[in-house]
Amino acid sequence: MEPVTKQETRHTINNFVSVDCVIFGFDFTQLNVLLVDRVMVDELTGKEIFSDLTLAGNHIYEDEDLEEAAARILFDLTGLKDIYLEQFKTFGAPGRISRANDKLWLEASGRDPNDRIVTVGYYSLLATDKVTLEWKGRNVRWTPVSEVTELAFDHMEILNEALIALRQSLIREPIGFALLPSKFTLSQLQRVYEVILGVSLDKRNFRKKVSRMKYLVSLEEKQIGVAHKPARLYSFDRDMYESTRKELLDFAI
Amino acid sequence: MEPVTKQETRHTINNFVSVDCVIFGFDFTQLNVLLVDRVMVDELTGKEIFSDLTLAGNHIYEDEDLEEAAARILFDLTGLKDIYLEQFKTFGAPGRISRANDKLWLEASGRDPNDRIVTVGYYSLLATDKVTLEWKGRNVRWTPVSEVTELAFDHMEILNEALIALRQSLIREPIGFALLPSKFTLSQLQRVYEVILGVSLDKRNFRKKVSRMKYLVSLEEKQIGVAHKPARLYSFDRDMYESTRKELLDFAI
DNA sequence: CTGCTTTGTGTAGATTTTACACTTATAGAA
DNA sequence: TTCTATAAGTGTAAAATCTACACAAAGCAG
């Protein structure tokens, strides 16, 4: 935001800006993340040079806002629009692209691997159903978050930060409801919290807690076809949530 | 993070990256923000073309991490190091530099005003004492946050987002202690919360609340020389805080 | 010694948190 | 029809926290 003056010669002008999406997928069993296969092949011999995994990222187009770029990437991978998407942190350390594979990869696509790429991190959360599992000719796969140990670039760090931010959001905002069908049971809702936060919760206390939320509406309807006592169904009332959400006030330093 | 392929022609490569610092200053009366005078003068006539206010921002140097750039700006303005500094959001809308003054300003410093500048927002919090009030030959001033109504670029939006993030941090982390001398009274501590959050708190309930925090240590020492009952002094024990901080767990959707 | 100013303190009622175990409704198998 | 497996649904007591609210004590200045 500051004009360049003549004294300042240490400036960089080739800062490329990209967006990386940490797409979390919930499936009632575990929390997954969408990872993209990155395979580099020797053009002459056809032999594989290396193969690893990355988050889904892309540069931003000229006419796009950052969030639009993230939504585009999300759409390309999943075919879904209007999905919960949140910016959480921007990464721009000069050495964030320093590993050999990453440099090779950039060179192969005509970039100077010494340029800095500043990347804006977004995360999103959706149910792992009906997502396109192909992107730019590359394989895309759901991987349980707990099993991800190594990623290209600094994507492991980005994933870790995203997970922290996701959990904070889940605690403070009703983003878990988007993972459920429009009518759901309290056990399903509890599962959302348990899986994403990685904790186990007491059933009775959980119900006591959510029963205080006016935007959780109890339907006069039950599950059918289940081989046990059928659960009552509930739905999420967004309008009620919007109108009763209280501003943060009491502090808990 | 994604190599450019031939099909993708809509990409931008001239994305300049800058850092903007929202420097909050606390003075027991109000919350202030450091603003920089921006005056544009006609080179020939010497007449003022316009004058307004901006946040403190700068591009990032080649060898700097984003946070280092923010810390450098903070140091240049205040002469202070190791101050609380937090990244909160990145702004990159294509039209974020669209007002006439802003375009003139960029042109005057040899930039193409149609280039996009992606800026990473940081905020910091300090006591309004002993800060350098000059920066790059321009005037720098503390302005009460409540009186800021218009800023250059999209800096008003950036300020608003920073304020929200600051308040959240104050509520969740003990960042207020840095504004106080090493020995302080509970009334001073209460004032920190009241001024920054913009609320008034009940004295007894506040004391009950903070008395539960083990890292707030009560000293066997009192104020001297005050024309009223002298207050007991307290200090903040960072080690105790680090060792007893509980991970967020109970959720409050 | 009087007045001014700020400190410091307690209680009762309401709400929330925590830990904890048994009965009920249904589908499917015997 | 009965039995079995499975998940649903429910209450209580103790502890902790939250909320609203008013007056005496300590020091300095005059």
Side-chain angles (χ1 to χ4, degrees), chain A residues 23-27 30-34 124-128 142:
Chain A
I23 302 172
F24 289 108
F26 171 81
D27 69 3
Q30 56 200 350
L31 183 66
N32 302 283
V33 60
L34 258 197
S124 77
L125 178 62
L126 45 91
T128 57
W142 286 115

Side-chain angles (χ1 to χ4, degrees), chain B residues 156-173:
Chain B
M156 196 67 210
E157 181 191 353
I158 296 179
L159 171 58
N160 287 331
E161 298 263 10
L163 184 56
I164 291 170
L166 169 70
R167 287 177 171 159
Q168 299 248 7
S169 276
L170 182 69
I171 286 172
R172 310 199 198 298
E173 281 161 88

Side-chain angles (χ1 to χ4, degrees), chain A residues 167-177 189 193 206 209-210 212-216 236 241 246, chain B residues 250-253:
Chain A
R167 287 176 170 158
Q168 298 247 10
S169 275
L170 181 69
I171 286 171
R172 308 198 200 300
E173 282 162 88
I175 61 173
F177 295 93
L189 183 61
Y193 286 90
F206 179 83
K209 185 151 200 160
V210 298
R212 269 177 243 127
M213 302 164 185
K214 297 218 186 70
Y215 51 84
L216 181 69
F236 172 64
Y241 171 71
K246 46 172 174 270
Chain B
D250 47 29
F251 62 96
I253 36 178

Side-chain angles (χ1 to χ4, degrees), chain A residues 4 7 48-49 57 59 64 73 83 101 121 123-124 150 159 161 169-170 178 196 205 207 229 245 247:
Chain A
V4 180
Q7 300 80 12
E48 178 178 311
I49 300 175
H59 48 83
E64 264 180 341
I73 294 168
I83 295 293
N101 286 356
Y123 66 87
S124 77
E150 198 174 4
L159 171 58
E161 298 263 10
S169 275
L170 181 69
I196 298 178
N205 293 340
R207 281 158 189 255
K229 179 170 177 176
R245 59 138 84 243
E247 300 305 319

Side-chain angles (χ1 to χ4, degrees), chain A residues 11-239:
Chain A
H11 63 275
T12 336
I13 51 170
N14 281 328
N15 285 312
F16 297 87
V17 179
S18 70
V19 163
D20 279 309
C21 283
V22 183
I23 302 172
F24 289 108
F26 171 81
D27 69 3
F28 285 104
T29 304
Q30 56 200 350
L31 183 66
N32 302 283
V33 60
L34 258 197
L35 297 179
V36 181
D37 270 331
R38 178 175 77 159
V39 182
M40 180 141 177
V41 179
D42 187 301
E43 289 197 9
L44 301 175
T45 66
K47 270 184 84 174
E48 178 178 311
I49 300 175
F50 69 82
S51 155
D52 57 11
L53 292 166
T54 71
L55 297 171
N58 204 241
H59 48 83
I60 50 178
Y61 293 157
E62 253 184 43
D63 50 357
E64 264 180 341
D65 195 355
L66 301 173
E67 177 152 345
E68 286 170 4
R72 166 173 56 82
I73 294 168
L74 182 58
F75 177 75
D76 287 347
L77 267 89
T78 65
L80 300 172
K81 295 199 176 196
D82 300 317
I83 295 293
Y84 175 69
L85 186 63
E86 198 84 23
Q87 190 194 114
F88 65 99
K89 189 168 177 187
T90 295
F91 300 81
R96 60 181 292 269
I97 300 174
S98 55
R99 285 189 279 180
N101 286 356
D102 299 331
K103 296 205 169 208
L104 275 178
W105 181 259
L106 292 182
E107 267 167 24
S109 57
R111 285 212 174 162
D112 181 345
N114 295 315
D115 280 339
R116 181 190 321 212
I117 300 182
V118 171
T119 197
V120 183
Y122 281 82
Y123 66 87
S124 77
L125 178 62
L126 45 91
T128 57
D129 307 307
K130 298 178 187 167
V131 302
T132 306
L133 287 181
E134 190 273 336
W135 186 55
K136 300 160 161 247
R138 293 198 267 148
N139 285 325
V140 176
R141 65 173 70 152
W142 286 115
T143 307
V145 168
S146 60
E147 293 173 15
V148 181
T149 55
E150 198 174 4
L151 295 176
F153 305 108
D154 55 352
H155 286 190
M156 197 65 209
E157 181 191 354
I158 296 179
L159 171 58
N160 287 331
E161 298 263 10
L163 185 56
I164 291 169
L166 169 69
R167 287 176 170 158
Q168 298 247 10
S169 275
L170 181 69
I171 286 171
R172 308 198 200 300
E173 282 162 88
I175 61 173
F177 295 93
L179 303 172
L180 300 171
S182 64
K183 297 174 181 182
F184 52 85
T185 71
L186 292 187
S187 294
Q188 291 175 316
L189 183 61
Q190 181 174 342
R191 199 87 188 105
V192 167
Y193 286 90
E194 291 183 325
V195 166
I196 298 178
L197 298 179
V199 296
S200 76
L201 301 171
D202 179 89
K203 182 165 53 158
R204 278 181 286 195
N205 293 340
F206 179 83
R207 281 158 189 255
K208 226 177 301 176
K209 185 151 200 160
V210 298
S211 71
R212 269 177 243 127
M213 302 164 185
K214 297 218 186 70
Y215 51 84
L216 181 69
V217 311
S218 163
L219 305 174
E220 295 306 318
E221 208 173 330
K222 296 182 177 211
Q223 278 182 314
I224 45 175
V226 288
H228 55 75
K229 179 170 177 176
R232 155 160 266 156
L233 296 176
Y234 290 78
S235 71
F236 172 64
D237 183 340
R238 175 158 298 278
D239 291 341

Side-chain angles (χ1 to χ4, degrees), chain A residues 8-15 92-96 114-118, chain B residues 17 19 58-72:
Chain A
E8 292 160 354
T9 52
R10 291 172 66 210
H11 63 275
T12 336
I13 51 170
N14 281 328
N15 285 312
R96 60 181 292 269
N114 295 315
D115 280 339
R116 181 190 321 212
I117 300 182
V118 171
Chain B
V17 179
V19 163
N58 204 241
H59 49 84
I60 51 178
Y61 293 158
E62 254 185 40
D63 50 356
E64 264 180 340
D65 195 356
L66 301 174
E67 177 151 345
E68 286 170 5
R72 167 173 54 82

